[in-house]
Amino acid sequence: MDMGKDMNLVFLMLKVTNGMSKRSYKKKFLPNIAHIINRCVGVRKLILYPQGDKTCEGKGSISINVAIDESNYFPNNNWIVCAYLKFFVLNQKTKKYLTIQEAKGALKHFDNLRTEHGCAQLISLDELNDPSNGYLVNDCYVFGVEVFVIQPSSGNEEILTMVKEPNGGTYTWPIKNFSKLNDSLEYSNEFTVGGRKWTLKLFSKGIKSDMRKSLSLYVWLSDWKSVIPKRKVYAEYKLRVVDHSRVEKQEILRDERDFGPAHFALKIESYSLLSNAPLGHGKRYESGIFYVEGYKWKLILYPQGDKTCEGKGSISLNVAIDESNSFPNNNWIVCAYLKFFILNQKTKKYLTIQEAKGALKHFDNLRTEHGCAQLISLDELNDPSSGYLVNDCYVFGVEVFVIQPSSGNEEALTMVKEPNGGTYTWSIENFSKLNDNLQYSNEFTVGGRKWNLNLFTKGIKSDMGKSLSLYLWLSDWKNVIPERKVYVEYKLRVVDQSRVEKVEKQVSHWFDSNQDCGFSDFISIKELHESNKGYLNDDTLILEVEFDVISVTKVRP
């Protein structure tokens, strides 16, 4: 489906499998996790604070944010991206997702000055870590986010104007020699009113049950084929026979925002005429079709309220999925969040209306229509001081956020403790005869990644000539999924071959590019050559790296 123009929905699941006890989780798993998704419009990161973002009152809770990544291209510093955020925590016992969002579903503005938004107190650590709650199963959590990006300029707009007493609105059809007509059905010449072509149809001998009893007279929209599909034309008219002797004539959340709906706007001019018009069954006006996520939709307006759903005294606004959509069978279902709009034409701000809990609406073969029966009271709407009614004109709108359950990305992050093959030993013979300062070990594999040890025999940087420098290098860094880091806790050591003592240092590091991590002053050259220590036995140096923890990331597109 096309997600590129009107609304961009990004769904990311982050599965965190720690592979540690709770105690080691709290002590060791301290680095904030930031992973990137790139879909539709821009690059975004999901950022997890396992111990809470203490800069935003997140202490005692887990915090989760979304950041728009700095690698996005914007032409200048005045860019802005607006989005709604909804966060998720999976209850692995009930298989249901806890959803967290701000009460009013506030629109977040990402810009050059603020690139990150989220929830500092997503869920308390006590509640999250209590196994009886179902969030923690086998030392594993699943978090997620939905990002609803709003593009203000991408919505369709339909303008419905009710024209009173249109120009050329009277057509007169003189029929000469009426008594000599042979055909029962007569057509007038075609005439134009309101930009449409019309014809009068006369059954001189009547029709149906009135055959030979009455004269039957009809107005016919003769250019009906040229009307935009699914758009109706409303008309109020009088038909007359001229006397030649006398010629006669639910809890609802409301908020405001600066720009309009992303998907569809309906502007109604001469609203008073529409509200008093006989709109047929249901007394409602149906807009033409608009498209969201490849589906056809209609906006349905009840000017006097949908009285079948307690809409009396209010205006009602619904969204219907159109019957012309092609579904393979009757078991189809489309899930969406709905947000309705009314323009305050004085303040130029839009009143937004949605259900308090942002309930997901299920459109299916049995129910194709959902909406808000009590969108706004008629008294408030029609009060000129409120700003909604200006020059007998209103502007309504809707945003339809379609959720495709199977379309989300999923990322599984597993923290593997003591991985298989996690110790690598590097024996360097004839150490004193080495000519090059930089030496590379053979490549070895741990946690599905390829690594090397890098040794500077005479030191590096400020420790040149003073110390031996030792580093661990992620040698297949080009094969790491873009923007995914690899977290490692490991020990580097120089083995004392007399088994009396050893030099060992511990490191925790996120590897994400062509970089190594270690120590320029791992062991002094003087100590390395001391004869009473067994670091150089038979001119052989033995180095080791031992992996304690390594992260393994799997991504399902």
Side-chain angles (χ1 to χ4, degrees):
M1 294 182 182
D2 179 12
M3 299 183 66
K5 292 185 178 179
D6 294 330
M7 181 273 292
N8 300 296
L9 181 152
V10 177
F11 182 64
L12 172 71
M13 293 306 300
L14 175 62
K15 181 177 180 182
V16 179
T17 306
N18 205 5
M20 305 182 195
S21 65
K22 289 185 192 174
R23 179 172 297 179
S24 62
Y25 173 88
K26 292 181 179 178
K27 287 185 176 180
K28 293 183 178 181
F29 193 50
L30 296 178
N32 300 327
I33 302 169
H35 292 277
I36 293 181
I37 44 177
N38 186 350
R39 183 175 174 192
C40 302
V41 174
V43 181
R44 307 171 190 89
K45 291 181 180 177
L46 181 64
I47 300 176
L48 177 69
Y49 296 81
Q51 298 298 320
D53 183 0
K54 298 178 178 61
T55 64
C56 298
E57 300 182 354
K59 186 178 180 180
S61 301
I62 199 164
S63 305
I64 194 165
N65 284 5
V66 171
I68 193 162
D69 193 65
E70 296 174 358
S71 65
N72 286 292
Y73 171 74
F74 298 104
N76 53 54
N77 288 333
N78 296 323
W79 62 270
I80 185 171
V81 176
C82 300
Y84 295 104
L85 304 179
K86 177 172 290 197
F87 298 100
F88 294 77
V89 185
L90 174 63
N91 187 314
Q92 299 178 67
K93 289 186 176 180
T94 65
K95 306 301 182 185
K96 292 182 179 291
Y97 285 87
L98 173 68
T99 64
I100 303 101
Q101 66 183 123
E102 289 193 17
K104 291 188 176 182
L107 192 65
K108 301 301 181 184
H109 294 72
F110 296 82
D111 54 31
N112 187 51
L113 299 177
R114 183 166 182 182
T115 60
E116 185 175 331
H117 290 275
C119 185
Q121 298 178 357
L122 185 79
I123 188 171
S124 73
L125 291 172
D126 290 341
E127 182 180 357
L128 185 72
N129 293 325
D130 184 348
S132 65
N133 291 329
Y135 303 117
L136 173 65
V137 174
N138 295 327
D139 207 19
C140 171
Y141 304 96
V142 179
F143 302 99
V145 66
E146 288 175 348
V147 183
F148 300 99
V149 178
I150 305 300
Q151 302 289 358
S153 63
S154 62
N156 299 324
E157 181 172 307
E158 175 179 309
I159 300 177
L160 172 68
T161 303
M162 305 295 286
V163 181
K164 188 174 184 179
E165 299 178 0
N167 293 332
T170 300
Y171 175 75
T172 303
W173 180 20
I175 305 174
K176 297 180 181 180
N177 301 314
F178 179 81
S179 61
K180 298 179 180 180
L181 295 176
N182 294 319
D183 297 328
S184 176
L185 174 59
E186 302 290 333
Y187 294 92
S188 74
N189 293 328
E190 201 171 54
F191 57 94
T192 300
V193 179
R196 304 254 62 94
K197 294 181 179 180
W198 309 85
T199 304
L200 288 176
K201 296 169 65 174
L202 172 69
F203 293 86
S204 58
K205 298 180 176 61
I207 192 175
K208 298 178 182 178
S209 60
D210 292 303
M211 178 68 76
R212 302 189 183 279
K213 299 178 184 178
S214 302
L215 181 145
S216 303
L217 185 59
Y218 296 86
V219 173
W220 178 45
L221 178 60
S222 52
D223 68 343
W224 58 272
K225 289 185 178 180
S226 64
V227 176
I228 300 172
K230 302 295 183 179
R231 260 70 169 183
K232 297 180 180 179
V233 180
Y234 176 74
E236 291 181 5
Y237 54 90
K238 305 181 188 75
L239 291 171
R240 65 172 69 98
V241 176
V242 177
D243 182 349
H244 290 274
S245 62
R246 288 181 56 193
V247 178
E248 298 180 353
K249 295 205 157 192
Q250 294 164 57
E251 184 183 2
I252 301 299
L253 286 179
R254 296 187 177 194
D255 200 2
E256 282 191 337
R257 80 181 200 194
D258 295 329
F259 54 88
H263 299 145
F264 189 74
L266 175 64
K267 182 178 182 180
I268 299 182
E269 299 170 343
S270 305
Y271 181 83
S272 59
L273 297 178
L274 176 67
S275 62
N276 294 320
L279 296 174
H281 178 69
K283 296 183 179 180
R284 65 192 206 167
Y285 172 77
E286 295 185 9
S287 78
I289 288 173
F290 61 96
Y291 292 82
V292 178
E293 295 294 331
Y295 296 108
K296 299 175 185 178
W297 307 85
K298 289 181 179 179
L299 185 62
I300 300 176
L301 173 70
Y302 295 80
Q304 299 299 323
D306 183 0
K307 298 178 177 62
T308 65
C309 298
E310 301 181 354
K312 186 177 180 180
S314 301
I315 197 166
S316 304
L317 204 57
N318 284 6
V319 171
I321 193 164
D322 194 65
E323 295 176 357
S324 64
N325 283 293
S326 177
F327 296 105
N329 52 53
N330 288 333
N331 296 324
W332 62 270
I333 185 170
V334 177
C335 300
Y337 296 105
L338 305 178
K339 186 182 289 266
F340 296 100
F341 294 76
I342 308 175
L343 174 62
N344 187 315
Q345 300 178 69
K346 288 186 176 180
T347 65
K348 305 301 181 184
K349 292 182 179 291
Y350 286 84
L351 174 67
T352 66
I353 301 103
Q354 65 184 118
E355 288 192 17
K357 292 186 177 181
L360 192 65
K361 302 300 182 185
H362 294 74
F363 296 82
D364 55 30
N365 188 52
L366 298 177
R367 183 167 183 182
T368 60
E369 186 175 328
H370 290 274
C372 186
Q374 298 178 356
L375 189 78
I376 188 171
S377 72
L378 292 172
D379 291 339
E380 182 181 357
L381 184 74
N382 295 325
D383 182 354
S385 65
S386 67
Y388 302 117
L389 173 64
V390 174
N391 297 326
D392 202 22
C393 172
Y394 298 98
V395 179
F396 303 99
V398 68
E399 287 175 349
V400 182
F401 300 104
V402 177
I403 305 299
Q404 300 289 357
S406 63
S407 64
N409 299 328
E410 181 174 314
E411 176 177 309
L413 172 68
T414 303
M415 306 298 285
V416 180
K417 187 176 183 180
E418 298 176 358
N420 292 332
T423 299
Y424 174 75
T425 302
W426 180 19
S427 296
I428 306 172
E429 298 177 351
N430 300 313
F431 179 78
S432 63
K433 297 178 182 179
L434 295 176
N435 294 319
D436 296 329
N437 184 29
L438 176 57
Q439 301 291 323
Y440 297 94
S441 74
N442 292 329
E443 201 171 56
F444 57 95
T445 301
V446 178
R449 303 257 65 93
K450 294 180 179 180
W451 307 86
N452 283 93
L453 287 176
N454 294 346
L455 172 67
F456 294 86
T457 61
K458 299 178 178 63
I460 192 174
K461 300 177 182 177
S462 61
D463 291 297
M464 177 69 77
K466 301 177 184 177
S467 301
L468 180 146
S469 303
L470 183 58
Y471 296 86
L472 177 65
W473 179 44
L474 178 61
S475 54
D476 69 340
W477 59 273
K478 289 185 179 180
N479 295 325
V480 176
I481 300 172
E483 306 297 344
R484 261 69 174 187
K485 300 180 180 181
V486 180
Y487 177 71
V488 183
E489 294 178 8
Y490 58 97
K491 303 181 189 77
L492 292 171
R493 65 174 66 102
V494 176
V495 177
D496 182 351
Q497 297 171 59
S498 64
R499 301 298 176 185
V500 176
E501 57 183 76
K502 61 184 176 181
V503 176
E504 180 179 277
K505 295 186 179 182
Q506 187 158 346
V507 185
S508 298
H509 186 67
W510 286 97
F511 289 86
D512 65 347
S513 61
N514 185 13
Q515 61 177 211
D516 52 20
C517 184
F519 303 90
S520 63
D521 59 345
F522 192 80
I523 185 173
S524 71
I525 293 175
K526 180 181 177 181
E527 182 181 357
L528 182 68
H529 288 85
E530 288 179 359
S531 59
N532 63 335
K533 296 182 179 177
Y535 299 128
L536 285 172
N537 218 6
D538 295 329
D539 202 22
T540 298
L541 177 69
I542 299 177
L543 304 176
E544 280 187 351
V545 59
E546 181 182 347
F547 288 74
D548 295 321
V549 176
I550 186 170
S551 67
V552 177
T553 302
K554 295 180 180 178
V555 177
R556 179 180 64 82

